[in-house]
PDB file of all heavy atoms in Angstrom:
ATOM      1  N   LEU A   1       0.822  -1.210  -0.007  1.00  0.00           N
ATOM      2  CA  LEU A   1      -0.062   0.042  -0.039  1.00  0.00           C
ATOM      3  C   LEU A   1       0.902   1.269   0.011  1.00  0.00           C
ATOM      4  O   LEU A   1       0.632   2.145  -0.787  1.00  0.00           O
ATOM      5  CB  LEU A   1      -0.892   0.024   1.256  1.00  0.00           C
ATOM      6  CG  LEU A   1      -1.870   1.183   1.348  1.00  0.00           C
ATOM      7  CD1 LEU A   1      -2.825   1.201   0.251  1.00  0.00           C
ATOM      8  CD2 LEU A   1      -2.574   1.117   2.719  1.00  0.00           C
ATOM      9  N   ALA A   2       1.801   1.353   0.844  1.00  0.00           N
ATOM     10  CA  ALA A   2       2.702   2.508   0.932  1.00  0.00           C
ATOM     11  C   ALA A   2       3.539   2.657  -0.321  1.00  0.00           C
ATOM     12  O   ALA A   2       3.601   3.675  -0.920  1.00  0.00           O
ATOM     13  CB  ALA A   2       3.737   2.358   2.116  1.00  0.00           C
ATOM     14  N   GLN A   3       3.984   1.522  -0.870  1.00  0.00           N
ATOM     15  CA  GLN A   3       4.732   1.567  -2.077  1.00  0.00           C
ATOM     16  C   GLN A   3       4.002   2.082  -3.281  1.00  0.00           C
ATOM     17  O   GLN A   3       4.455   2.728  -4.281  1.00  0.00           O
ATOM     18  CB  GLN A   3       5.399   0.289  -2.396  1.00  0.00           C
ATOM     19  CG  GLN A   3       6.532  -0.085  -1.402  1.00  0.00           C
ATOM     20  CD  GLN A   3       7.065  -1.481  -1.563  1.00  0.00           C
ATOM     21  OE1 GLN A   3       6.750  -2.161  -2.602  1.00  0.00           O
ATOM     22  NE2 GLN A   3       7.809  -2.014  -0.590  1.00  0.00           N
ATOM     23  N   SER A   4       2.691   1.704  -3.374  1.00  0.00           N
ATOM     24  CA  SER A   4       1.792   2.163  -4.448  1.00  0.00           C
ATOM     25  C   SER A   4       1.673   3.696  -4.464  1.00  0.00           C
ATOM     26  O   SER A   4       1.721   4.218  -5.533  1.00  0.00           O
ATOM     27  CB  SER A   4       0.433   1.463  -4.335  1.00  0.00           C
ATOM     28  OG  SER A   4      -0.212   1.945  -3.219  1.00  0.00           O
ATOM     29  N   PHE A   5       1.604   4.301  -3.340  1.00  0.00           N
ATOM     30  CA  PHE A   5       1.456   5.818  -3.314  1.00  0.00           C
ATOM     31  C   PHE A   5       2.833   6.448  -3.635  1.00  0.00           C
ATOM     32  O   PHE A   5       2.955   7.448  -4.361  1.00  0.00           O
ATOM     33  CB  PHE A   5       0.960   6.239  -1.948  1.00  0.00           C
ATOM     34  CG  PHE A   5      -0.475   6.172  -1.817  1.00  0.00           C
ATOM     35  CD1 PHE A   5      -1.138   5.043  -1.241  1.00  0.00           C
ATOM     36  CD2 PHE A   5      -1.365   7.162  -2.284  1.00  0.00           C
ATOM     37  CE1 PHE A   5      -2.479   4.934  -1.140  1.00  0.00           C
ATOM     38  CE2 PHE A   5      -2.742   7.079  -2.189  1.00  0.00           C
ATOM     39  CZ  PHE A   5      -3.284   5.983  -1.613  1.00  0.00           C
ATOM     40  N   ILE A   6       3.914   5.830  -3.088  1.00  0.00           N
ATOM     41  CA  ILE A   6       5.260   6.344  -3.384  1.00  0.00           C
ATOM     42  C   ILE A   6       5.552   6.285  -4.849  1.00  0.00           C
ATOM     43  O   ILE A   6       5.995   7.278  -5.506  1.00  0.00           O
ATOM     44  CB  ILE A   6       6.298   5.577  -2.600  1.00  0.00           C
ATOM     45  CG1 ILE A   6       6.141   5.842  -1.101  1.00  0.00           C
ATOM     46  CG2 ILE A   6       7.761   6.032  -3.067  1.00  0.00           C
ATOM     47  CD1 ILE A   6       6.984   4.941  -0.198  1.00  0.00           C
ATOM     48  N   LEU A   7       5.271   5.159  -5.508  1.00  0.00           N
ATOM     49  CA  LEU A   7       5.530   5.036  -6.916  1.00  0.00           C
ATOM     50  C   LEU A   7       4.687   5.863  -7.753  1.00  0.00           C
ATOM     51  O   LEU A   7       5.150   6.465  -8.761  1.00  0.00           O
ATOM     52  CB  LEU A   7       5.368   3.469  -7.284  1.00  0.00           C
ATOM     53  CG  LEU A   7       5.930   3.102  -8.671  1.00  0.00           C
ATOM     54  CD1 LEU A   7       7.423   3.305  -8.757  1.00  0.00           C
ATOM     55  CD2 LEU A   7       5.546   1.607  -8.854  1.00  0.00           C
ATOM     56  N   ALA A   8       3.425   5.981  -7.430  1.00  0.00           N
ATOM     57  CA  ALA A   8       2.531   6.900  -8.155  1.00  0.00           C
ATOM     58  C   ALA A   8       3.049   8.340  -8.108  1.00  0.00           C
ATOM     59  O   ALA A   8       3.070   9.023  -9.255  1.00  0.00           O
ATOM     60  CB  ALA A   8       1.062   6.870  -7.617  1.00  0.00           C
ATOM     61  N   PHE A   9       3.457   8.772  -7.009  1.00  0.00           N
ATOM     62  CA  PHE A   9       3.933  10.103  -6.842  1.00  0.00           C
ATOM     63  C   PHE A   9       5.300  10.372  -7.602  1.00  0.00           C
ATOM     64  O   PHE A   9       5.449  11.347  -8.378  1.00  0.00           O
ATOM     65  CB  PHE A   9       4.177  10.510  -5.362  1.00  0.00           C
ATOM     66  CG  PHE A   9       4.751  11.889  -5.121  1.00  0.00           C
ATOM     67  CD1 PHE A   9       3.954  13.055  -5.136  1.00  0.00           C
ATOM     68  CD2 PHE A   9       6.100  12.024  -4.809  1.00  0.00           C
ATOM     69  CE1 PHE A   9       4.491  14.233  -4.912  1.00  0.00           C
ATOM     70  CE2 PHE A   9       6.683  13.269  -4.602  1.00  0.00           C
ATOM     71  CZ  PHE A   9       5.899  14.385  -4.647  1.00  0.00           C
ATOM     72  N   LEU A  10       6.223   9.449  -7.477  1.00  0.00           N
ATOM     73  CA  LEU A  10       7.468   9.503  -8.206  1.00  0.00           C
ATOM     74  C   LEU A  10       7.282   9.486  -9.693  1.00  0.00           C
ATOM     75  O   LEU A  10       7.916  10.156 -10.461  1.00  0.00           O
ATOM     76  CB  LEU A  10       8.459   8.578  -7.655  1.00  0.00           C
ATOM     77  CG  LEU A  10       8.969   8.699  -6.244  1.00  0.00           C
ATOM     78  CD1 LEU A  10       9.747   7.518  -5.759  1.00  0.00           C
ATOM     79  CD2 LEU A  10       9.782   9.933  -6.113  1.00  0.00           C
ATOM     80  N   ASP A  11       6.447   8.608 -10.110  1.00  0.00           N
ATOM     81  CA  ASP A  11       6.225   8.420 -11.564  1.00  0.00           C
ATOM     82  C   ASP A  11       5.640   9.682 -12.153  1.00  0.00           C
ATOM     83  O   ASP A  11       5.928  10.137 -13.286  1.00  0.00           O
ATOM     84  CB  ASP A  11       5.293   7.226 -11.813  1.00  0.00           C
ATOM     85  CG  ASP A  11       5.944   5.942 -11.751  1.00  0.00           C
ATOM     86  OD1 ASP A  11       7.186   5.829 -11.698  1.00  0.00           O
ATOM     87  OD2 ASP A  11       5.184   4.881 -11.852  1.00  0.00           O
ATOM     88  N   LYS A  12       4.703  10.320 -11.386  1.00  0.00           N
ATOM     89  CA  LYS A  12       4.082  11.565 -11.816  1.00  0.00           C
ATOM     90  C   LYS A  12       5.141  12.655 -11.981  1.00  0.00           C
ATOM     91  O   LYS A  12       5.188  13.453 -12.931  1.00  0.00           O
ATOM     92  CB  LYS A  12       2.998  12.030 -10.920  1.00  0.00           C
ATOM     93  CG  LYS A  12       2.400  13.373 -11.305  1.00  0.00           C
ATOM     94  CD  LYS A  12       1.282  13.792 -10.365  1.00  0.00           C
ATOM     95  CE  LYS A  12       0.785  15.142 -10.803  1.00  0.00           C
ATOM     96  NZ  LYS A  12      -0.309  15.544  -9.888  1.00  0.00           N
ATOM     97  N   ASN A  13       6.077  12.803 -10.991  1.00  0.00           N
ATOM     98  CA  ASN A  13       7.001  13.991 -10.932  1.00  0.00           C
ATOM     99  C   ASN A  13       8.348  13.700 -11.646  1.00  0.00           C
ATOM    100  O   ASN A  13       8.936  14.677 -12.093  1.00  0.00           O
ATOM    101  CB  ASN A  13       7.227  14.287  -9.464  1.00  0.00           C
ATOM    102  CG  ASN A  13       5.992  15.009  -8.867  1.00  0.00           C
ATOM    103  OD1 ASN A  13       5.822  16.170  -9.101  1.00  0.00           O
ATOM    104  ND2 ASN A  13       5.242  14.257  -8.081  1.00  0.00           N
ATOM    105  N   LEU A  14       8.796  12.427 -11.729  1.00  0.00           N
ATOM    106  CA  LEU A  14      10.074  12.204 -12.431  1.00  0.00           C
ATOM    107  C   LEU A  14       9.911  11.484 -13.788  1.00  0.00           C
ATOM    108  O   LEU A  14      10.849  11.648 -14.579  1.00  0.00           O
ATOM    109  CB  LEU A  14      10.875  11.335 -11.476  1.00  0.00           C
ATOM    110  CG  LEU A  14      11.264  11.895 -10.099  1.00  0.00           C
ATOM    111  CD1 LEU A  14      12.274  11.023  -9.435  1.00  0.00           C
ATOM    112  CD2 LEU A  14      11.767  13.368 -10.151  1.00  0.00           C
ATOM    113  N   LYS A  15       8.748  10.869 -13.985  1.00  0.00           N
ATOM    114  CA  LYS A  15       8.507  10.278 -15.340  1.00  0.00           C
ATOM    115  C   LYS A  15       7.404  10.913 -16.056  1.00  0.00           C
ATOM    116  O   LYS A  15       7.102  10.569 -17.213  1.00  0.00           O
ATOM    117  CB  LYS A  15       8.214   8.768 -15.122  1.00  0.00           C
ATOM    118  CG  LYS A  15       9.399   7.995 -14.550  1.00  0.00           C
ATOM    119  CD  LYS A  15       9.029   6.501 -14.541  1.00  0.00           C
ATOM    120  CE  LYS A  15      10.191   5.647 -14.063  1.00  0.00           C
ATOM    121  NZ  LYS A  15       9.901   4.211 -14.005  1.00  0.00           N
ATOM    122  N   HIS A  16       6.692  11.841 -15.335  1.00  0.00           N
ATOM    123  CA  HIS A  16       5.692  12.730 -15.973  1.00  0.00           C
ATOM    124  C   HIS A  16       4.483  11.817 -16.594  1.00  0.00           C
ATOM    125  O   HIS A  16       3.980  12.118 -17.613  1.00  0.00           O
ATOM    126  CB  HIS A  16       6.261  13.515 -17.093  1.00  0.00           C
ATOM    127  CG  HIS A  16       7.455  14.382 -16.688  1.00  0.00           C
ATOM    128  ND1 HIS A  16       7.428  15.280 -15.604  1.00  0.00           N
ATOM    129  CD2 HIS A  16       8.742  14.260 -17.014  1.00  0.00           C
ATOM    130  CE1 HIS A  16       8.585  15.745 -15.415  1.00  0.00           C
ATOM    131  NE2 HIS A  16       9.442  15.076 -16.221  1.00  0.00           N
ATOM    132  N   THR A  17       4.113  10.853 -15.749  1.00  0.00           N
ATOM    133  CA  THR A  17       2.920   9.989 -16.113  1.00  0.00           C
ATOM    134  C   THR A  17       1.669  10.470 -15.278  1.00  0.00           C
ATOM    135  O   THR A  17       1.899  11.308 -14.347  1.00  0.00           O
ATOM    136  CB  THR A  17       3.190   8.523 -15.782  1.00  0.00           C
ATOM    137  OG1 THR A  17       3.462   8.390 -14.352  1.00  0.00           O
ATOM    138  CG2 THR A  17       4.380   8.050 -16.486  1.00  0.00           C
ATOM    139  N   ILE A  18       0.561  10.067 -15.618  1.00  0.00           N
ATOM    140  CA  ILE A  18      -0.662  10.422 -14.839  1.00  0.00           C
ATOM    141  C   ILE A  18      -0.660   9.569 -13.606  1.00  0.00           C
ATOM    142  O   ILE A  18      -0.034   8.454 -13.594  1.00  0.00           O
ATOM    143  CB  ILE A  18      -1.923  10.171 -15.666  1.00  0.00           C
ATOM    144  CG1 ILE A  18      -2.035   8.779 -16.121  1.00  0.00           C
ATOM    145  CG2 ILE A  18      -1.915  11.113 -16.950  1.00  0.00           C
ATOM    146  CD1 ILE A  18      -3.411   8.401 -16.797  1.00  0.00           C
ATOM    147  N   ALA A  19      -1.357  10.047 -12.587  1.00  0.00           N
ATOM    148  CA  ALA A  19      -1.436   9.351 -11.309  1.00  0.00           C
ATOM    149  C   ALA A  19      -2.809   9.271 -10.758  1.00  0.00           C
ATOM    150  O   ALA A  19      -3.229  10.071  -9.939  1.00  0.00           O
ATOM    151  CB  ALA A  19      -0.472  10.083 -10.332  1.00  0.00           C
ATOM    152  N   PRO A  20      -3.654   8.393 -11.343  1.00  0.00           N
ATOM    153  CA  PRO A  20      -5.066   8.352 -10.919  1.00  0.00           C
ATOM    154  C   PRO A  20      -5.158   8.059  -9.405  1.00  0.00           C
ATOM    155  O   PRO A  20      -6.091   8.464  -8.807  1.00  0.00           O
ATOM    156  CB  PRO A  20      -5.559   7.071 -11.754  1.00  0.00           C
ATOM    157  CG  PRO A  20      -4.642   7.022 -12.878  1.00  0.00           C
ATOM    158  CD  PRO A  20      -3.335   7.502 -12.410  1.00  0.00           C
ATOM    159  N   LEU A  21      -4.225   7.219  -8.863  1.00  0.00           N
ATOM    160  CA  LEU A  21      -4.249   6.983  -7.389  1.00  0.00           C
ATOM    161  C   LEU A  21      -4.285   8.220  -6.568  1.00  0.00           C
ATOM    162  O   LEU A  21      -4.921   8.290  -5.504  1.00  0.00           O
ATOM    163  CB  LEU A  21      -3.028   6.064  -7.055  1.00  0.00           C
ATOM    164  CG  LEU A  21      -2.996   5.537  -5.652  1.00  0.00           C
ATOM    165  CD1 LEU A  21      -4.092   4.522  -5.378  1.00  0.00           C
ATOM    166  CD2 LEU A  21      -1.602   4.926  -5.279  1.00  0.00           C
ATOM    167  N   LEU A  22      -3.591   9.265  -7.081  1.00  0.00           N
ATOM    168  CA  LEU A  22      -3.573  10.485  -6.382  1.00  0.00           C
ATOM    169  C   LEU A  22      -4.501  11.551  -6.788  1.00  0.00           C
ATOM    170  O   LEU A  22      -4.988  12.372  -6.065  1.00  0.00           O
ATOM    171  CB  LEU A  22      -2.114  11.064  -6.448  1.00  0.00           C
ATOM    172  CG  LEU A  22      -0.962  10.321  -5.717  1.00  0.00           C
ATOM    173  CD1 LEU A  22       0.350  10.763  -6.208  1.00  0.00           C
ATOM    174  CD2 LEU A  22      -1.151  10.419  -4.245  1.00  0.00           C
ATOM    175  N   ASP A  23      -4.760  11.602  -8.147  1.00  0.00           N
ATOM    176  CA  ASP A  23      -5.529  12.678  -8.737  1.00  0.00           C
ATOM    177  C   ASP A  23      -6.891  12.452  -9.096  1.00  0.00           C
ATOM    178  O   ASP A  23      -7.668  13.365  -9.402  1.00  0.00           O
ATOM    179  CB  ASP A  23      -4.677  13.210  -9.922  1.00  0.00           C
ATOM    180  CG  ASP A  23      -3.383  13.793  -9.492  1.00  0.00           C
ATOM    181  OD1 ASP A  23      -3.320  14.394  -8.438  1.00  0.00           O
ATOM    182  OD2 ASP A  23      -2.419  13.776 -10.299  1.00  0.00           O
ATOM    183  N   ASP A  24      -7.298  11.205  -9.276  1.00  0.00           N
ATOM    184  CA  ASP A  24      -8.710  10.933  -9.716  1.00  0.00           C
ATOM    185  C   ASP A  24      -9.576  10.918  -8.539  1.00  0.00           C
ATOM    186  O   ASP A  24      -9.555  10.132  -7.591  1.00  0.00           O
ATOM    187  CB  ASP A  24      -8.706   9.512 -10.380  1.00  0.00           C
ATOM    188  CG  ASP A  24     -10.047   9.155 -11.049  1.00  0.00           C
ATOM    189  OD1 ASP A  24     -11.032   9.917 -10.750  1.00  0.00           O
ATOM    190  OD2 ASP A  24     -10.137   8.287 -11.923  1.00  0.00           O
TER     191      ASP A  24
END
């Protein structure tokens, strides 16, 4: 669970992908 939020945040900010887990 923790890793899913960490990865979503890092992917959004360092790989510039969308992050439904955080933004939807």
Side-chain angles (χ1 to χ4, degrees):
L1 180 66
Q3 290 173 13
S4 66
F5 279 95
I6 294 168
L7 193 59
F9 177 78
L10 290 171
D11 282 353
K12 177 181 178 179
N13 287 281
L14 299 187
K15 294 184 179 180
H16 310 297
T17 63
I18 60 172
L21 186 67
L22 293 166
D23 293 328
D24 190 342

